[in-house]
Amino acid sequence: MQIKGKVTSFDIAHLAGVSQSTVSRALRGSPLVNEETRRRIQAAVDELNYKVDKNASSLRAKHTGTLALLLFEDPTADESHINPFFLSMLGSITRASAQRGYDLLISFQQFSHDWHADYADSKKSDGIILLGYGDYLAIRDKLQKLVNQGTRCVRWGAVLADQPDISVGCDNLSGGHAVTTHFMEQGCRRIAFLGDASSHYPEFFDRYRGHIRALNDAGLEAEPLLQVNAESTERSGYDALETLLARGITFDAVFAASDLIAIGAMRAMDDHGLKVPDDVLLAGFDDIPMASFVNPPLTTVLQDTNLAGEILVDNLLSLIRGQPAESAMLPAKLIVRKSSLRGREDKSEK
Amino acid sequence: MQIKGKVTSFDIAHLAGVSQSTVSRALRGSPLVNEETRRRIQAAVDELNYKVDKNASSLRAKHTGTLALLLFEDPTADESHINPFFLSMLGSITRASAQRGYDLLISFQQFSHDWHADYADSKKSDGIILLGYGDYLAIRDKLQKLVNQGTRCVRWGAVLADQPDISVGCDNLSGGHAVTTHFMEQGCRRIAFLGDASSHYPEFFDRYRGHIRALNDAGLEAEPLLQVNAESTERSGYDALETLLARGITFDAVFAASDLIAIGAMRAMDDHGLKVPDDVLLAGFDDIPMASFVNPPLTTVLQDTNLAGEILVDNLLSLIRGQPAESAMLPAKLIVRKSSLRGREDKSEK
DNA sequence: CTGAAAGCGCTTACAG
DNA sequence: CTGAAAGCGCTTACAG
């Protein structure tokens, strides 16, 4: 066991009685190495507990074998809790990267701050994954610049016609359509929408458009007063519902653009003596783990985060290999739970 | 704007009319650089959009400015969801690292597999943080080896007398004591414990010992049949409660060693017609976000994950700087919610 | 199949 | 305060 100094490929070469080049070849799995030689080298590696220096190999080979994940946090969100939906995405991206032999570097960024995506420029990673909601229009130029300077990057978010980058998102429009259609099947006619509805927040906007389309399909008109802006936090959902109440307008269902908003709205209704689903039906979006635990369990739209993580990583790897990659839209699946069911006969869980 | 070839410190030097060494010095914030020179260099850096190559600087300087987080996942856990408590720790560790200027490399490992902590050996990181529960005795030797070979590492988990490494954990014993004392104040005498109680799982064991100690303090004896093994998953909690039921033993409260176990037990009780808290009181441990959303809200023990993340990172940085670091025990705080309150007068949330 | 040699882009004594 | 030079530990043509 070597004690002093770092073990390098020269030490291995010496021990195995070959040149350092051959050690390097053997360790990288080159076919140009004799089996017997390879075995001797491996034995030396094991004996000295040698590990290839990642920095040296990355510097020389010009790729790092690591991916960077930039997670944008909403500065207004509770410091201690990250949006559970993104946490779930983070988990699936980490897993997908590992399966494909890549390390994952993680960075949190404030969306509002002057964030830097220099993980590729500084050669810390071969490419980056952008995750988090925020004002899309505010980052569009930055995205454009990133792509222009050759940075490989993929983004989680709405798939738009003119976007400069590759993105993977769920079919928010269909999801929104499904929720509102479901509400109407339950007899609702005055459905409130809690969430921003502008091109600044394309995901929410698509959900809103699906909602409107469903209304129109049923011959109903949208009522502007039934839409209240909200960002994806409980606090914001709580406030949005109070705003809705303050408008003095009647509503028989609430479609929250995210589960967090829905949970906040649920609290607000509780505080104001409104019962879900007896007085008002409620649905969210995302199917975060909490959604099935709130009381009553929350109807929502499932986005397959496992699949999303894999597609995101695979797309990024394609880009890195110089292969083409395409933006992708994942299916959105309505999950009906008690919060949106009128009939009280169904009181049994599960 | 330079198009072809990578921008290096030589390009900056050329543009700024100084030597490459000076560029390097200026960029590392050396005091040995004239202010005017520094400004010229900065201008060149901005103009060419230069970024220091991390691999080259790490190779040369022998430190990487990144920390590695090894997250052990229980292989039996649901593939799609990471234990929420660890997710919360992950968030706080990521934040703490970023605040101190370190990047964070994340890796998931199966505890049962032959995991490798070679993130330091291969120079990808300056040190590693170990996170996740699992059979402590099974990893003890590996830990010892890591420490022996000079790898800087800190671990989240029970602080034990003879551990080879530095760890940060919460005061599980006091936490367990507080839960059981609280149960007894509510009039309970036959308190079941769901979770492993052996030195293989020191955290659960300490919670169990706190539980026993509280019983003894009240002059009660422990009843072995009231303890059922369980690992930290909902599934396992569900099964453990059914095992308890199958024993045909009476109990008036259930102390689950983790919130996930408690939530599983809650489901099982629901399926068997037992009402919480009317028939049985229930408490968990961890205070994961879901705990306050289940019905009824779950009494639990809060571990301050924000603080934990900071101490873990600070300890690791001390080790990296060659300074001494000490294992630390964080306070455990009982959070009482409806699931453990006998009185039904308190029906109002919050 | 193997070796000698160049070089990736920095940091840091060393000398002024 | 600045520059010339060595060298971190690899990978990869190039030549055999």
Side-chain angles (χ1 to χ4, degrees):
Chain A
M1 193 79 178
Q2 179 127 348
I3 297 296
K4 52 177 38 190
K6 180 179 176 170
V7 180
T8 73
S9 51
F10 283 94
D11 298 321
I12 303 300
H14 184 73
L15 218 177
V18 295
S19 76
Q20 183 268 342
S21 331
T22 302
V23 171
S24 180
R25 273 190 209 96
L27 263 25
R28 312 215 67 239
S30 160
L32 304 175
V33 179
N34 182 292
E35 259 319 307
E36 158 60 14
T37 311
R38 191 188 299 280
R39 242 190 311 278
R40 280 216 314 285
I41 291 172
Q42 189 55 52
V45 164
D46 292 342
E47 188 180 337
L48 300 185
N49 196 238
Y50 170 73
K51 294 285 180 328
V52 172
D53 185 310
K54 247 290 186 165
N55 295 122
S57 84
S58 295
L59 172 59
R60 192 53 243 245
K62 290 173 183 310
H63 60 252
T64 63
T66 109
L67 269 23
L69 174 61
L70 297 208
L71 190 52
F72 292 101
E73 281 188 287
D74 202 316
T76 61
D78 180 346
E79 263 296 311
S80 61
H81 293 299
I82 308 170
N83 184 323
F85 175 73
F86 291 121
L87 232 30
S88 167
M89 286 292 294
L90 187 159
S92 85
I93 290 171
T94 306
R95 219 179 262 108
S97 305
Q99 279 167 359
R100 289 152 185 77
Y102 276 76
D103 287 321
L104 222 221
L105 210 47
I106 298 207
S107 164
F108 284 12
Q109 310 252 352
Q110 298 291 79
F111 208 90
S112 48
H113 288 37
D114 181 34
W115 51 281
H116 42 277
D118 59 359
Y119 289 83
D121 296 327
S122 58
K123 300 297 174 203
K124 289 178 192 173
S125 74
D126 297 336
I128 63 188
I129 299 174
L130 264 20
L131 187 61
Y133 291 151
D135 187 336
Y136 174 72
L137 298 181
I139 67 158
R140 223 186 151 279
D141 287 349
K142 200 142 189 175
L143 238 31
Q144 184 66 260
K145 217 165 115 185
L146 271 180
V147 172
N148 286 348
Q149 66 189 36
T151 301
R152 284 86 209 257
C153 74
V154 296
R155 174 175 55 89
W156 166 258
V159 178
L160 302 165
D162 58 345
Q163 64 189 26
D165 60 339
I166 302 277
S167 75
V168 175
C170 109
D171 190 347
N172 293 298
L173 200 136
S174 297
H177 192 277
V179 169
T180 294
T181 301
H182 166 68
F183 275 149
M184 293 189 298
E185 284 166 7
Q186 295 291 308
C188 298
R189 285 298 173 271
R190 300 193 54 79
I191 304 165
F193 183 91
L194 268 34
D196 280 289
S198 78
S199 42
H200 287 269
Y201 299 88
E203 291 82 13
F204 282 10
F205 199 18
D206 278 350
R207 292 168 197 178
Y208 181 69
R209 289 207 308 239
H211 159 69
I212 297 298
R213 186 171 299 177
L215 288 177
N216 294 344
D217 286 354
L220 296 177
E221 283 296 313
E223 159 66 82
L225 280 178
L226 282 172
Q227 186 270 331
V228 183
N229 283 344
E231 57 184 14
S232 196
T233 65
E234 251 188 90
R235 178 82 244 156
S236 184
Y238 190 101
D239 293 346
L241 195 105
E242 291 205 316
T243 301
L244 185 66
L245 251 21
R247 286 180 186 169
I249 192 169
T250 64
F251 57 94
D252 48 20
V254 171
F255 176 7
S258 82
D259 287 348
L260 247 24
I261 294 175
I263 289 171
M266 195 181 258
R267 283 240 159 110
M269 289 198 259
D270 201 43
D271 287 356
H272 286 270
L274 283 172
K275 283 196 111 48
V276 176
D278 298 354
D279 301 325
V280 180
L281 300 195
L282 175 67
F285 209 105
D286 287 345
D287 196 27
I288 60 177
M290 265 177 239
S292 60
F293 290 108
V294 291
N295 183 26
L298 183 66
T299 289
T300 186
V301 176
L302 168 72
Q303 310 189 62
D304 187 338
T305 54
N306 272 321
L307 184 59
E310 296 192 349
I311 297 186
L312 240 13
V313 171
D314 284 334
N315 269 342
L316 182 54
L317 292 184
S318 291
L319 254 26
I320 289 171
R321 298 193 191 101
Q323 293 160 4
E326 268 184 11
S327 289
M329 187 127 91
L330 270 36
K333 184 167 175 241
L334 181 69
I335 307 282
V336 177
R337 299 202 182 95
K338 261 199 244 167
S339 75
S340 71
L341 290 175
R342 263 282 146 67
R344 250 145 295 171
E345 68 279 8
D346 184 311
K347 274 292 180 189
S348 67
E349 263 270 58
K350 146 108 88 16
Chain B
M1 193 80 176
Q2 181 128 342
I3 298 295
K4 49 176 44 189
K6 182 181 175 173
V7 181
T8 73
S9 52
F10 284 93
D11 298 322
I12 303 301
H14 183 75
L15 218 177
V18 295
S19 75
Q20 183 267 341
S21 335
T22 301
V23 171
S24 181
R25 273 191 212 97
L27 263 26
R28 314 215 64 238
S30 161
L32 305 174
V33 179
N34 182 291
E35 259 319 306
E36 159 60 12
T37 311
R38 190 188 300 281
R39 242 191 311 276
R40 278 216 315 284
I41 291 173
Q42 189 54 52
V45 164
D46 292 343
E47 187 179 337
L48 299 186
N49 197 236
Y50 169 73
K51 295 284 180 327
V52 172
D53 185 311
K54 248 287 185 168
N55 295 121
S57 83
S58 296
L59 173 59
R60 192 51 243 247
K62 292 174 183 308
H63 59 251
T64 63
T66 108
L67 267 24
L69 175 61
L70 296 210
L71 191 51
F72 292 100
E73 281 189 286
D74 203 316
T76 61
D78 180 346
E79 261 297 311
S80 60
H81 293 299
I82 308 170
N83 184 320
F85 175 73
F86 291 121
L87 232 29
S88 170
M89 285 292 294
L90 188 158
S92 85
I93 290 171
T94 306
R95 219 178 263 107
S97 305
Q99 279 167 359
R100 289 151 183 78
Y102 276 76
D103 287 320
L104 222 224
L105 211 45
I106 298 207
S107 164
F108 284 13
Q109 310 251 352
Q110 297 292 80
F111 207 90
S112 49
H113 288 38
D114 182 35
W115 52 280
H116 42 277
D118 59 359
Y119 289 82
D121 296 327
S122 58
K123 301 296 173 204
K124 290 177 189 172
S125 73
D126 296 336
I128 64 187
I129 299 173
L130 264 20
L131 187 62
Y133 292 152
D135 188 335
Y136 174 71
L137 298 182
I139 67 159
R140 222 184 153 281
D141 287 348
K142 199 144 190 172
L143 238 32
Q144 183 67 261
K145 216 166 114 185
L146 272 180
V147 172
N148 286 349
Q149 67 188 36
T151 301
R152 285 83 209 262
C153 74
V154 296
R155 175 175 54 90
W156 166 256
V159 178
L160 302 164
D162 59 345
Q163 64 187 26
D165 59 338
I166 301 275
S167 76
V168 176
C170 109
D171 190 347
N172 293 298
L173 200 136
S174 296
H177 192 280
V179 169
T180 294
T181 301
H182 166 69
F183 275 150
M184 293 190 296
E185 285 167 6
Q186 296 292 306
C188 297
R189 284 299 173 269
R190 299 194 55 78
I191 305 165
F193 183 90
L194 269 34
D196 280 289
S198 78
S199 44
H200 288 269
Y201 299 89
E203 291 81 14
F204 283 10
F205 199 17
D206 279 349
R207 292 169 197 177
Y208 181 68
R209 289 208 308 240
H211 159 69
I212 297 298
R213 185 171 298 178
L215 287 178
N216 295 345
D217 286 353
L220 295 178
E221 282 296 312
E223 159 65 81
L225 280 177
L226 282 172
Q227 185 271 328
V228 183
N229 283 344
E231 55 183 13
S232 197
T233 66
E234 250 186 272
R235 179 81 243 156
S236 184
Y238 190 100
D239 294 345
L241 195 105
E242 292 204 318
T243 301
L244 185 66
L245 252 19
R247 288 182 185 168
I249 193 169
T250 63
F251 56 93
D252 48 19
V254 171
F255 176 8
S258 82
D259 287 348
L260 246 25
I261 294 176
I263 290 171
M266 194 181 256
R267 283 242 160 109
M269 289 197 257
D270 202 43
D271 287 357
H272 286 272
L274 284 173
K275 282 197 111 50
V276 175
D278 298 352
D279 302 323
V280 181
L281 300 195
L282 177 66
F285 209 105
D286 287 346
D287 196 27
I288 62 177
M290 266 176 237
S292 61
F293 289 109
V294 291
N295 183 30
L298 183 66
T299 288
T300 187
V301 176
L302 168 72
Q303 312 189 60
D304 187 339
T305 53
N306 273 321
L307 184 59
E310 296 192 349
I311 296 184
L312 240 13
V313 171
D314 284 334
N315 269 342
L316 183 53
L317 292 184
S318 290
L319 253 27
I320 290 171
R321 297 191 192 103
Q323 294 161 4
E326 269 183 12
S327 289
M329 187 126 93
L330 270 36
K333 183 167 176 242
L334 180 70
I335 308 281
V336 177
R337 299 202 182 96
K338 262 199 242 169
S339 75
S340 70
L341 291 175
R342 264 281 147 67
R344 248 144 298 170
E345 68 280 6
D346 186 311
K347 275 288 183 195
S348 66
E349 262 271 53
K350 149 96 93 12

